[in-house]
Amino acid sequence: MEHDCTAAARWWRKATEQGYAEAQYELGKCYRYEYGVKEDRREAVRWYRQAAEQGVSLAKDALKSMGVKWESVGKKRGVYSSISYSAMSSRKAGR
């Protein structure tokens, strides 16, 4: 399975070079869940953000689930900022 994931990640990257939004989302998943590449949160956010800027709603959902706020600012522009895990933990714990 790992070999297939590595090949898939390589193909998703090639597709991102052509500007395919769905590929950007899929490559973000690869980095988030360590599918064929080393887990890298920053890379996951980078690819999810690019996909979100092109209108991929699953990418917007992924950013939100990672604690990254993303707001649309026009057709292909977006603003995002990280919410610290400690702040999120504090809210959950009622502190």
Side-chain angles (χ1 to χ4, degrees):
M1 178 79 165
E2 185 174 327
H3 177 70
D4 292 341
C5 290
T6 302
R10 191 170 41 249
W11 284 108
W12 288 130
R13 181 168 296 281
K14 288 182 183 216
T16 64
E17 292 168 4
Q18 302 298 315
Y20 291 108
E22 292 80 10
Q24 293 166 342
Y25 167 71
E26 293 295 337
L27 189 57
K29 281 193 339 188
C30 289
Y31 279 106
R32 183 175 184 185
Y33 298 112
E34 199 169 357
Y35 296 152
V37 294
K38 185 178 177 186
E39 183 180 358
D40 186 329
R41 185 180 191 282
R42 285 185 179 193
E43 280 296 298
V45 169
R46 173 184 170 212
W47 291 110
Y48 283 151
R49 182 183 58 83
Q50 287 187 26
E53 287 175 353
Q54 293 193 64
V56 178
S57 60
L58 289 173
K60 295 172 190 176
D61 294 341
L63 288 168
K64 184 178 177 182
S65 73
M66 293 177 74
V68 177
K69 185 176 178 183
W70 189 90
E71 297 176 20
S72 179
V73 184
K75 261 187 171 178
K76 288 193 175 184
R77 299 204 43 169
V79 176
Y80 71 100
S81 62
S82 290
I83 299 172
S84 72
Y85 287 113
S86 61
M88 289 171 55
S89 299
S90 295
R91 276 189 257 147
K92 287 181 182 178
R95 294 182 224 166

